[in-house]
Structures are given as C-alpha cells and as structure tokens.
C-alpha cells in the first residue's frame, strides 16, 4: 500500500523529466541519516540530512524494516520532530528490536537512497535534562553547605524501573572557568561543602541511562552563599594572636634583660681607665683641658717618703710681715750633702761631700728621674726638666765657685725656675711692714739671665697676675759676704736676695716697685731656704738667724723671725710663720752654713708636677713657662712657688 | 581426622554454593537477606553481566567487522522465547511471568556461553581470542550465578506471597532453548562470525534480564530507587 502510494510521485517526476528544458537538473543527492534518538526508551526520532536537491523540488521518505521481518514501512510521522525527521511513536516503537532504516530523496529526475542504518532503541536513549533543579543553603556545625536536588526528566519513567538514570552535577564559582563535577549515581540529591563565604555559585545537573547517552546540562541555577566565619580561619586567627602574644612577651623580657644579653652576646671591650681622664673632654677636642684634668692633686706624691729624696725645690714663704725669706735648699739636700760622695771635680775645701756638686747633681737627676717616673707630664715639662738638669749642673759649678770664692762680687744669682711662688693675691702685708721686706724667692738666675739683655727680657716680661715688676728693675744677687762685714769668718753664705718686686696683688704693684730700688736692696732681707718639709713648704730662714751670719739685716726687719713659709693659702697668699728652727740653725752652726751653701749650690730643680708649675732651667724657657704659669695663677696646688714668675 | 577434613570442606564449600546464604559472625543475630537485598544483588549481577557482554561485543566489532551493517540476517536462539518488547507489555505481564521469562533467558544461555568460551580458547590464531576467552568464561560463570540468584528471589517472593506458585519452568530450564539453535552449538564448529552473532544476541538478552529484574523489583518493592 505504501509502496503504491510512494510510486506515484516517482512516475510524475519521470513524466516531468521528459518535458524538462535543457537545464542542469539532476537527480537528488544521497541523503544521510544523521542520528536517531529516544528520550525515554518508548519513542524515538530519526533525523537525516538531505543531499543536493539537483535543482528540482525533492522529497524525502524514510523507510524502515524490522528485524526478522521483510515488511517495509514508511515513517509514520514526518512533522512532529521537525524538518527532515521521522518520529516513531509508542506504537511503532519496539525495544530490543533492530530497525533497518533508509531515507530516500526523490526529485523529478530520480531518487536516491541513503545508506541503511541499524538501530536498536535500547542503545540510543538520550534522556532530557533533569528538571526542577533546586539548590538551597543549609547550615551545619562546620559551616554552610549547598543541597542540590532535582527530578528526573518528565518523560523518563524511572518509577516503574523501566529506565534507570544516573545523574551528574557540576558546580563553579561565578567568574571561574573550570567546573567541579560530581557523580551522584541514582540519587536525586547532592551536598556540596567547603564553600567560600559570600560566594555566588552556579549549579548544573544532567543524567544518563545506564547504557546510553548523556543528556544536556540543565539550565544554570544561581545560589549565593551568605557570609560566615569559617572555622579554619578562626583557628588561624587564634594561633596568630597567641604567637603575637608570645612574641611580645619575649620582646619585653629581652628588653628588661637587655644588659645581660648584651654582655652575653657582645662582651664589653675593656677601655682605658685613666684616673681623672674625662672622655667627654677628649671628645670635645681640647687636649689642654684633658691634660689639665689629669692633674691629680695627690700626684706626684708629695706626702710620700720619696719627697724627701726628691730634690724638690719648694719655696716656703713665711708670713708676709717679716718678709724674710730664707731660701734654702731642701733639707733632704742637706742630708744628701752629708752623705756626699766623692767626686773628681769636687772643689770642696774638704768639708765634706756636701760640697760635691756631683752629688747634688746626682741627687738632682735622681730626683728628677723619680719625678719623671711618678708624673705624667707633658713633653714640655720633661724637656724642661732635662734642661734644668743640664742647667743646674752648669749652675752648680758656677754657684759653687761663687760660694767658694769669697769674692762674690759677681753677684751671680741663680734662678731656680722650679721655684714657684703663689703670687696672686698676695696681700699687701709685706708692704705694711717695713716695706723693704720682700718675699724673697728662691731664685736661681742663670748666668744667662744675668746679662742685662736677658734680664731685661725678663724684666720686660710682665707678670700678669700680680707679679710685681715695678720699675722693672729686678735685681737678684747673692748675698755677699762683703755685705756683711760683721761676719767675715762666717762662711760665705750664699743667700739670695730676692729683689724682685713680688707684688702679688696688682694694687701693690707699684708700691712694691717703688720699694724695689737698687738702693733699697740693702733693706732687703736675706732668706735662706732652710728646707722643704713634707708639706711642700719651703722653710725660709732669715740669714741673721743663723749662726753663720750676723748682720744687721735683722734690724731691718722686725725682731720677729718670719722665715718660714707656712704655706700658701687658697688666696694665693704666702703665709709665713715664726721660725722655730732658727735655733736649730744656730745649733747646727757651721754645718748649716755650708749646708746652706750646698743647698744653695744645689741646682734648680723644677719639680713641676703640673704643667702650670713648670720652670725650666733655661731662662727662656723659664720665661716661656712663666707665661702659662701666669695664666694659671702661679700658685700651684702643691705649694710650688714660681720663682721665674716672680722675676717677672 | 578425616571427618574433620570432610566437615571443613563442606563448610568451606557451603558459602560458595549457596549464593544467598547469610554469613554471620559468631554470636551475631543471623537472618536471611531480605527481598530487597536479594533484588539488589541480582540486579548488580545482571548489570555486570551485561557490561561484560557489551565489552566483548564491541571488541569483536572493532577487531573483525569494521562495517556495522552486518546484523540483518542474524537470528538469536532465544528468539522463540517471547519477551515483552515495551513497557506496557512488560507491565501487563505480571510478576510471575516476568520472573519466568527471566529464568528462561538465563537458562537458555548457560550452555552457549560455555561453548563460546571453549571455542574462543581453542581458536589460537589471534591473541584477541585469548583475552576474550577469559571474559567469556567470566560471563558464563556469572550467568550461572545469576540464574541461581533469581531462583532464590522467586522462592523468596513465593515465600512472601508476592507471587503464586504457578510456575513450572524452573524444573527444566534445558527445554527452553530452541533446538535449532542449540543444535548448531552442539556442533561445535564456531567461527568468528558465530562468535560475533552470539555475542550480539547475548548482549541483548542480558539487557532484557537486567531490565526485567528492575521492573520486577520496582513493581514488587516500590522504593526510592525506582
């Protein structure tokens, strides 16, 4: 029946072909069956692809044959499934039966059969997409999760077990590219965990029969996860807080124990420990201040026993009333003299080693050596000392001659540069007295000093602090025996007459100067340095008090004997006191005289313990040192009297 | 001593044969598996059988027959067994008949599969046969197990009163196979084309079995899985 119906259009086409004009018409091309699909294993649809139509209207027909049957049937439904399709409904569909399907394209010029296709419906099942995909956010103790649920496609009968579907879903965050796929099996629900807080998720589901094709993905379902605090993050925050706490504790402890830690890790480097050394001053860059700070009051040790051994020239200035200064050597010198050794150049008259100038020099050197050892001094001071030594040596010889020779007209005066006097603020007391009293200083004037030019140089050197210059005339000369005719037999006493104008106070300067006149020197007092006691006091003794000399000098002065310098007070005043040792002097008698002489011959020592109190052996150096000395108040803490400054 | 050995063998052998026996530990309450469990087991088994048969068939198709249009003349030996060809027919059939159909199908394939395996093993021209013969053997064994399993299910259903006792085919499954087909199998001269046809037929029938079992389950025990 169908065949007969189908052949009619063929005959018509053949008829038309005969009348066709000469155009390029051809039989239709071969159609092709593209696919056959069954959505629920109850119906199926086949689609074909038409070939070229050959320029003529072409019709298509689908024919099929069932398995083990020779009957050919035509497609019952060409329209339900659309163009170029054939729909087989339930009645025409048999499962587990092989269909042999063919499509025929026919136009006026001919027809064309497609290749046959064998189809078993069981194996071409492709269901529709799952339906009713719902996604909900559910809460759990670990946090929120997504619950995805769906339903099988409407036409697929899974309830009766006719078709069994397995499902698959995929999820992704909005903006991501890759999906996360999950197999759900036959269940119609699925949970998704580990969500990002506040993220927007996309969910899709599809299904497949156990032997068949996957369906299309369902339409996307959007779901937004609410903001929540993930438990893992809270744990990390807890750990971070705890670690920070521990860290702060450790830092605090480290801070507290920073010192001990520093000592552990960075052991302190031992630094210099100089007593009195101020690093800060050094940093300031003033070396002078630094070194001045090094001057320790207790150094050089003046109270030690070495003091006695040191040929220190200490000037003991007695009370200013008497103004009788007896410049004497230190007592230790006397003792040293007593212990004199023989020396080849000793021109001593045989009295003893006291006269040995070499002895003295040795002692001087010794003392100086000791001094040098004990002291920290500037290079200048050391040099000065050495100079003094040399100078002293020469002077000693000179003084020796002077002493020995009765003729002392030379009037050489030795300046002892190491003798410092506390000049400043010297009260006017000395002037109150007879005025002729001067604070005699133990002065060693070198020969070089004596020549007027040098002297004048000194003279020109004005003392700043009360060193009275007066008219500038300063004369020092040894006390000569000639001046004391009353005592011809007495040993030549070498006494120095300090004729300088020691006007310590500036006010008294002029007055003192006036007092210091050449003719006035006669009224000067002769002072002998008796010794230097341990208190850095130069004990002076007026000449008249000694048995070696009797003169009327005392008459000039008071009956009192102020030949002992008690000391120098803070006001830079020479304090004189009554000489108690005059008697002793007398007792010693001659010995003293010669001692005195010896002492006198003693070279100048500059026992400068401080830079400020240095007196060099050279006159120039004396002058040189005098300058800084003046600046610093000639008074040294240790009681040295700067003779050089006095000169000036 | 000998008795102990015999008893041990019996006890060891026992769980293998009795597919549906419950294996319980000592002291534990033992109970026979439920119908649902039985159904699940047989359905799983049938699904596995069908999977293996599909694999074998596709292997044969790729190896020997590039063109797929060779099927038309084939006739399976189970052609005589009337099976429902659509859902309505299957639902109209009823549980008992459905069960019977299943059992028939399974019974009809016992021997052919064994022969197939033997034939594949004997054909040593290709390496392919060596790989496939193992599968055929496994398939054969599984069909045997499946058959006994479905029998158990039927008995269970009878026990539960789900189906009536009006079943006569269980006693003699060998008569189910059509003689024409079985005779060709008995001849033993299989070739590759026969192999291919046999596999095609079996694949379909295993699918039927699986489907019928599912329908049976969902009809008897309507659960969420259906």
């Amino acid at each position: 029946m169908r065949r007969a119906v189908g052949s009619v259009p063929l005959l018509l086409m053949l008829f038309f072909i005969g009348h066709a004009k000469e155009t390029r018409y051809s039989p239709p091309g071969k159609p092709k069956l593209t696919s056959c699909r069954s959505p629920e294993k109850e119906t199926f649809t086949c689609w074909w692809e038409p070939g070229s139509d050959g320029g003529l209207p072409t019709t298509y027909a689908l024919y099929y044959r069932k398995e083990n049957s020779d009957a050919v049937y035509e497609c019952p439904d060409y329209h339900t499934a659309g163009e170029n399709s054939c729909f087989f409904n339930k009645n025409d569909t048999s499962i587990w039966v092989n269909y042999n399907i063919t499509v025929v394209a026919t136009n006026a010029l001919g027809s064309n059969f497609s290749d046959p296709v064998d189809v078993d419906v069981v194996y071409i099942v492709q269901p529709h997409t799952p339906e009713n995909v719902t996604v909900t956010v559910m809460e759990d103790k670990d946090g929120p999760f997504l619950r995805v649920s769906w339903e099988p496609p409407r036409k697929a009968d899974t309830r009766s077990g006719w078709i069994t579907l397995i499902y698959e879903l995929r999820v992704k965050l909005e903006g991501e590219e890759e999906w996360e796929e999950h197999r759900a099996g036959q269940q119609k629900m699925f949970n998704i965990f580990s969500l990002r807080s506040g993220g927007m998720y996309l969910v899709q589901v599809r299904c497949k029969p156990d032997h068949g094709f996957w369906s299309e993905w369902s339409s996307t379902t959007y779901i937004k996860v609410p903001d929540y605090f993930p438990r893992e993050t809270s744990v990390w925050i807890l750990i971070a807080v705890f670690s920070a706490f521990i860290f702060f504790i450790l830092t605090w402890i480290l801070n507290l124990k920073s010192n001990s830690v520093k000592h552990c890790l960075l052991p302190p480097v031992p630094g210099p420990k100089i007593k009195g050394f101020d690093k800060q001053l050094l940093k300031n860059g003033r070396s002078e201040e630094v070194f001045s700070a090094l001057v320790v009051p207790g150094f050089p040790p003046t109270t030690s026993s070495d003091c006695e051994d040191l040929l220190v020239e200490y000037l003991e200035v007695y009370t200013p009333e008497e103004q009788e200064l007896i410049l004497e050597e230190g007592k230790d010198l006397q003792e040293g003299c007593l212990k004199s050794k023989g020396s080849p150049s000793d021109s001593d008259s045989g009295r003893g080693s006291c006269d040995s100038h070499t002895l003295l020099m040795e002692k001087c050197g010794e003392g100086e050596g000791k001094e040098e050892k004990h002291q920290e001094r500037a290079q200048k001071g050391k040099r000065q000392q050495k100079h003094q030594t040399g100078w002293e040596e020469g002077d000693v010889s000179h003084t020796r001659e002077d002493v020995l020779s009765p003729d002392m007209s030379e009037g050489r005066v030795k300046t002892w540069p190491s003798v410092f006097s506390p000049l400043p603020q010297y009260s006017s007391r000395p002037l109150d007295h007879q005025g002729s009293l001067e604070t005699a200083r133990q002065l060693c004037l070198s020969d070089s000093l004596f020549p007027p030019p040098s002297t004048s140089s000194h003279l020109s050197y004005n003392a700043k602090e009360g060193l009275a210059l007066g008219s500038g005339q300063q004369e020092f000369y040894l006390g000569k025996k000639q001046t004391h005719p009353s005592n011809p037999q007495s040993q030549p006493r070498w006494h120095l007459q300090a004729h300088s104008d020691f006007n310590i106070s500036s006010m008294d300067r002029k007055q003192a100067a006036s007092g210091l006149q050449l003719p006035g020197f006669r009224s000067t007092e002769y002072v002998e340095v008796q010794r230097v006691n341990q208190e850095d006091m130069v004990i002076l003794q007026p000449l008249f008090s000694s048995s070696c000399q009797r003169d009327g000098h005392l008459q000039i002065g008071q009956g009192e004997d102020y030949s002992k310098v008690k000391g120098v007070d803070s006001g830079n005043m020479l304090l004189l006191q009554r000489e108690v040792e005059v008697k002793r002097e007398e007792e010693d008698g001659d010995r003293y005289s010669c001692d005195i002489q010896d002492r006198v011959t003693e070279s100048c020592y500059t026992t400068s313990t401080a830079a400020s109190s240095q007196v060099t052996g050279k006159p120039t150096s004396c002058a040189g040192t005098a300058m800084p000395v003046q600046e610093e108040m000639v008074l040294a803490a240790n009681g040295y009297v700067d003779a050089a400054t006095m000169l000036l | 001593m000998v008795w102990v050995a015999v008893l041990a063998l019996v006890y060891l052998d026992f769980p293998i044969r009795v597919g549906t026996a419950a294996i319980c530990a000592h002291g534990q309450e033992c109970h026979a598996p439920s119908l649902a469990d039985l159904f699940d087991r047989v359905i799983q088994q049938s699904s596995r059988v069908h999977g293996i048969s599909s694999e074998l068939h596709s292997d044969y198709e790729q190896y020997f027959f590039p063109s797929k249009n060779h099927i038309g003349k084939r006739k399976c030996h189970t052609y005589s067994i009337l099976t429902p060809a659509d859902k309505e027919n299957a639902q109209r059939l009823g549980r008992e008949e459905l069960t019977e159909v299943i059992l028939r199908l399974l019974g009809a394939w016992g021997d052919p599969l064994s022969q197939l395996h033997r034939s594949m093993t004997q054909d040593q021209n290709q390496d392919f046969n060596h790989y496939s013969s193992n599968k055929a053997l496994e398939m054969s064994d599984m069909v045997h197990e499946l058959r006994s399993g479905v029998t158990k299910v039927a008995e269970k259903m009878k026990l539960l009163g789900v189906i009536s006792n009006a079943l006569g085919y269980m006693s003699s499954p060998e008569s189910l196979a059509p003689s024409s087909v079985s005779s060709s199998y008995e001849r033993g001269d299989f070739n590759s084309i026969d192999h291919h046809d046999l596999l095609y037929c079996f694949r379909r029938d295993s699918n039927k079995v699986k489907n019928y079992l599912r329908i049976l389950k969902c009809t008897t025990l309507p659960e969420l899985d259906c």
Side-chain angles (χ1 to χ4, degrees):
Chain A
M1 169 70 174
R2 284 181 188 170
R3 249 182 231 174
V5 171
S7 61
V8 167
L10 279 169
L11 292 170
L12 285 170
M13 282 175 201
L14 288 168
F15 179 73
F16 282 135
I17 285 167
H19 293 274
K21 296 173 182 178
E22 292 244 325
T23 55
R24 289 182 188 172
Y25 295 132
S26 63
K30 193 175 184 180
K32 185 186 169 192
L33 277 163
T34 55
S35 67
C36 295
R37 286 287 183 268
S38 169
E40 76 283 85
K41 209 160 85 173
E42 294 171 35
T43 66
F44 73 102
T45 311
C46 284
W47 292 270
W48 67 84
E49 192 179 84
S52 64
D53 59 352
L56 293 168
T58 312
T59 57
Y60 295 92
L62 185 142
Y63 299 101
Y64 67 93
R65 254 178 2 103
K66 277 189 176 180
E67 182 183 346
N68 301 328
S69 167
D70 290 332
V72 178
Y73 305 96
E74 193 179 350
C75 173
D77 190 344
Y78 286 105
H79 306 291
T80 308
E83 190 74 23
N84 295 330
S85 70
C86 178
F87 175 75
F88 295 82
N89 59 10
K90 283 187 186 180
N91 295 332
D92 297 325
T93 304
S94 297
I95 313 298
W96 299 296
V97 174
N98 210 0
Y99 281 79
N100 193 310
I101 299 169
T102 313
V103 174
V104 177
T106 310
N107 64 4
L109 295 176
S111 62
N112 211 335
F113 286 83
S114 68
D115 292 332
V117 168
D118 286 312
V119 172
D120 195 338
V121 179
V122 166
Y123 302 115
I124 56 162
V125 178
Q126 186 180 19
H128 293 301
T129 65
E131 295 174 1
N132 252 1
V133 179
T134 58
V135 185
T136 54
V137 180
M138 306 198 62
E139 282 293 331
D140 195 359
K141 59 179 177 63
D142 295 329
F145 63 95
L146 292 177
R147 170 158 288 186
V148 187
S149 64
W150 57 87
E151 289 177 6
R154 199 176 304 117
K155 294 209 176 141
D157 186 5
T158 56
R159 293 300 302 267
S160 62
W162 175 243
I163 186 166
T164 309
L165 297 173
I166 56 172
Y167 302 94
E168 188 181 68
L169 62 87
R170 65 180 187 182
V171 185
K172 79 167 181 177
L173 266 172
E174 191 175 26
E176 280 185 14
E177 288 187 5
E178 301 223 343
W179 289 89
E180 190 180 317
E181 295 185 352
H182 300 279
R183 273 283 175 101
Q186 290 182 27
Q187 59 196 30
K188 301 178 186 58
M189 181 205 27
F190 198 76
N191 294 328
I192 299 173
F193 299 95
S194 298
L195 303 172
R196 184 180 298 184
S197 166
M200 175 71 84
Y201 283 92
L202 286 72
V203 181
Q204 286 182 333
V205 189
R206 69 175 182 180
C207 57
K208 172 178 100 82
D210 44 3
H211 294 280
F213 302 99
W214 280 104
S215 69
E216 296 295 329
W217 287 103
S218 66
S219 57
T220 308
T221 306
Y222 293 89
I223 182 74
K224 186 164 191 324
V225 179
D227 296 320
Y228 70 99
F229 206 64
R231 204 169 59 123
E232 295 164 356
T233 309
S234 65
V235 168
W236 282 115
I237 286 175
L238 200 69
I239 289 171
V241 167
F242 190 66
S243 305
F245 180 66
I246 297 261
F247 175 73
F248 281 128
I249 294 272
L250 285 173
T251 308
W252 180 63
I253 289 173
L254 204 71
N255 210 16
L256 282 179
K257 307 279 182 189
S258 63
N259 285 332
S260 58
V261 170
K262 270 188 209 169
H263 278 283
C264 235
L265 295 175
L266 306 168
V269 177
K273 290 204 168 98
I274 301 170
K275 189 175 177 186
F277 193 79
D278 193 354
K279 281 187 187 172
Q280 204 57 40
L281 282 179
L282 188 66
K283 284 179 188 172
N284 293 340
R286 288 188 172 188
S287 59
E288 295 139 358
E289 291 176 0
V290 173
F291 296 127
S292 66
L294 288 174
V295 176
V296 178
F299 198 85
T302 53
T303 55
S304 64
S305 59
D306 289 340
C307 176
E308 296 295 320
D309 297 329
L310 293 174
L311 297 175
V312 177
E313 299 163 340
Y314 288 94
L315 178 66
E316 270 187 345
V317 180
Y318 285 38
T319 55
E321 294 172 7
E322 288 295 326
Q323 297 194 1
E324 287 180 359
L325 300 176
I326 299 175
L327 299 179
E328 285 185 348
E329 297 286 352
K331 189 180 185 182
D332 54 352
L333 293 174
Q334 294 178 0
E335 296 169 352
C337 290
L338 294 171
K339 300 175 195 172
S340 66
K341 315 166 193 174
S343 72
S345 57
D346 189 2
S347 58
D348 190 358
S349 59
R351 184 164 290 277
S353 59
C354 308
D355 297 334
S356 167
H357 74 283
T358 55
L359 170 67
L360 292 173
M361 290 194 295
E362 286 168 1
K363 288 220 78 123
C364 292
E366 212 179 300
E368 286 189 0
K370 285 183 188 172
E371 287 175 5
E372 288 178 7
K373 285 182 213 166
H374 292 301
Q375 298 169 7
E376 303 174 0
R377 55 173 69 199
Q379 291 295 324
K380 195 177 175 187
K382 287 181 183 173
R383 273 185 271 110
Q384 289 170 353
Q385 261 199 342
K386 287 173 187 170
H387 293 315
Q388 291 163 9
T389 312
W391 182 74
E392 285 158 3
E393 287 180 359
D395 289 337
V396 166
S397 60
H398 286 299
T399 49
R400 164 73 60 69
E401 291 167 4
D402 293 340
V403 170
L404 293 174
S405 63
D407 185 8
M408 300 184 68
S409 59
E410 294 180 3
R412 251 181 282 173
V413 179
K414 217 181 191 182
T415 57
W416 291 0
S418 64
V419 178
F420 297 92
S421 64
L423 295 174
Q425 299 177 14
Y426 188 75
S427 67
S428 60
R429 274 185 284 172
L431 297 174
D432 294 339
H433 302 291
Q434 288 71 17
S436 61
L437 290 178
E438 306 286 350
T439 55
R441 308 296 178 99
Q442 184 182 11
L443 297 173
C444 288
L445 292 178
S446 63
D447 292 340
S448 57
L449 279 174
F450 192 75
S454 60
T455 319
S456 60
S457 67
H458 275 275
L459 293 174
S460 62
Y461 188 83
N462 270 324
K464 293 177 186 176
E465 296 176 331
L467 283 178
L469 293 177
S471 60
Q473 289 183 351
Q474 296 177 347
E475 291 182 30
F476 301 91
Y477 36 90
L478 298 170
K480 298 174 182 176
K481 210 173 178 185
Q482 293 166 351
T483 55
H484 308 290
S486 60
N487 193 9
Q489 290 183 355
S490 62
Q491 289 291 331
R493 183 183 300 266
W494 185 59
H495 40 263
L496 299 171
Q497 179 179 13
H499 193 74
S500 67
D501 181 7
F502 295 119
N503 195 356
I504 298 171
S505 61
S506 55
M507 296 186 62
D508 299 333
R509 193 175 283 183
K510 290 180 182 174
Q511 293 174 358
S514 62
L516 285 173
Q517 297 299 329
L518 277 171
F521 79 88
R522 294 216 173 261
S523 61
T524 59
E525 294 285 337
Y526 288 91
V527 180
E528 287 183 352
V529 174
Q530 191 176 22
R531 66 153 203 250
V532 179
N533 66 359
Q534 290 194 349
E535 296 162 8
D536 294 338
M537 290 191 295
V538 177
I539 300 170
L540 304 174
Q541 185 182 11
L543 289 174
F544 63 88
S545 61
S546 97
S547 61
C548 297
Q549 176 191 2
R550 296 185 215 294
D551 53 11
H553 282 271
L554 288 173
Q555 295 171 1
I556 299 169
Q558 310 91 336
E560 300 166 355
D561 178 16
Y562 288 90
S563 58
K564 180 173 181 179
V565 174
K566 189 179 179 183
V568 181
D569 65 356
S570 59
N572 292 330
M573 292 172 59
L574 287 172
L575 301 173
L576 302 176
Q577 67 184 45
R578 287 178 186 273
E579 180 57 70
V580 177
E581 298 168 358
V582 173
K583 296 175 184 176
R584 223 170 54 148
E585 288 266 338
E586 290 176 349
E587 290 171 1
D588 290 342
D590 299 338
R591 195 160 69 82
Y592 259 88
S593 64
C594 51
D595 291 340
I596 291 167
Q597 289 172 6
D598 294 333
R599 269 178 275 133
V600 166
T601 55
E602 196 178 14
S603 57
C604 297
Y605 290 93
T606 57
T607 56
S608 59
T609 57
S612 59
S613 59
Q614 289 178 5
V615 180
T616 59
K618 292 179 182 173
T620 53
S621 57
C622 277
T625 53
M627 291 195 71
V629 167
Q630 287 172 0
E631 295 169 357
E632 295 159 357
M633 309 281 289
V634 178
L635 167 67
N638 53 13
Y640 288 162
V641 179
D642 188 2
T645 55
M646 294 172 64
L647 278 175
L648 306 170
Chain B
M1 184 66 177
V2 177
W3 280 108
V4 170
V6 168
L7 284 170
L9 281 171
V10 167
Y11 281 124
L12 284 171
D13 203 8
F14 191 68
I16 296 173
R17 288 206 179 164
V18 179
T20 58
I23 301 170
C24 311
H26 242 316
Q28 205 173 355
E29 187 187 336
C30 254
H31 53 78
S34 65
L35 191 61
D37 296 335
L38 288 170
F39 265 119
D40 288 336
R41 291 186 195 182
V42 293
I43 288 170
Q44 272 183 16
Q45 192 87 341
S46 64
S47 181
R48 282 169 60 192
V49 169
H50 177 68
I52 295 171
S53 67
S54 293
E55 287 173 14
L56 266 174
H57 177 259
S58 62
D59 291 343
Y60 258 92
E61 280 212 331
Q62 288 172 6
Y63 205 85
F64 293 109
F65 310 101
S67 64
K68 293 186 182 181
N69 295 332
H70 195 77
I71 309 171
K73 277 102 182 177
R74 183 186 299 118
K75 235 181 193 168
C76 296
H77 70 286
T78 53
Y79 167 73
S80 59
I81 300 171
L82 292 172
T83 56
D86 54 23
K87 186 177 79 172
E88 289 80 10
N89 290 336
Q91 285 173 342
R92 210 179 298 145
L93 206 59
R95 295 190 203 107
E96 295 87 354
E97 290 173 7
L98 200 57
T99 308
E100 190 175 335
V101 168
I102 292 168
L103 286 168
R104 272 195 194 163
L105 285 168
L106 290 171
W109 278 104
D111 288 337
L113 287 174
S114 302
Q115 287 179 10
L116 177 66
H117 163 66
R118 258 184 273 124
S119 173
M120 277 178 167
T121 316
Q122 285 171 3
D123 195 359
Q124 297 184 1
N125 290 343
Q126 300 110 10
D127 299 328
F128 169 78
N129 268 349
H130 178 70
Y131 171 70
S132 300
S133 63
N134 292 336
K135 281 188 180 178
L137 180 63
E138 186 184 358
M139 209 159 57
S140 171
D141 292 340
M142 281 163 69
V143 166
H144 279 106
E145 287 177 9
L146 188 61
R147 185 166 173 226
S148 58
V150 173
T151 308
K152 291 282 187 296
V153 169
E155 286 173 3
K156 185 80 177 184
M157 281 199 296
K158 277 183 191 171
L159 206 64
L160 294 173
V162 175
I163 56 176
S164 62
N165 289 333
L167 288 176
Y169 59 87
M170 288 187 222
S171 56
S172 56
E174 293 81 6
S175 61
L176 296 175
S179 57
S180 60
V181 178
S182 60
S183 62
S184 64
Y185 292 152
E186 287 166 5
R187 266 195 305 236
D189 51 348
F190 280 179
N191 52 18
S192 300
I193 297 170
D194 296 328
H195 291 171
H196 181 257
D197 290 342
L198 207 67
L199 285 169
Y200 176 84
C201 290
F202 182 65
R203 182 173 79 139
R204 180 196 288 178
D205 286 343
S206 60
N207 197 317
K208 279 184 184 176
V209 166
K210 185 176 77 168
N211 211 346
Y212 295 153
L213 281 170
R214 283 218 169 95
I215 293 169
L216 198 61
K217 178 202 167 185
C218 291
T219 311
T220 311
L221 305 167
E223 290 171 4
L224 288 171
D225 288 352
C226 295

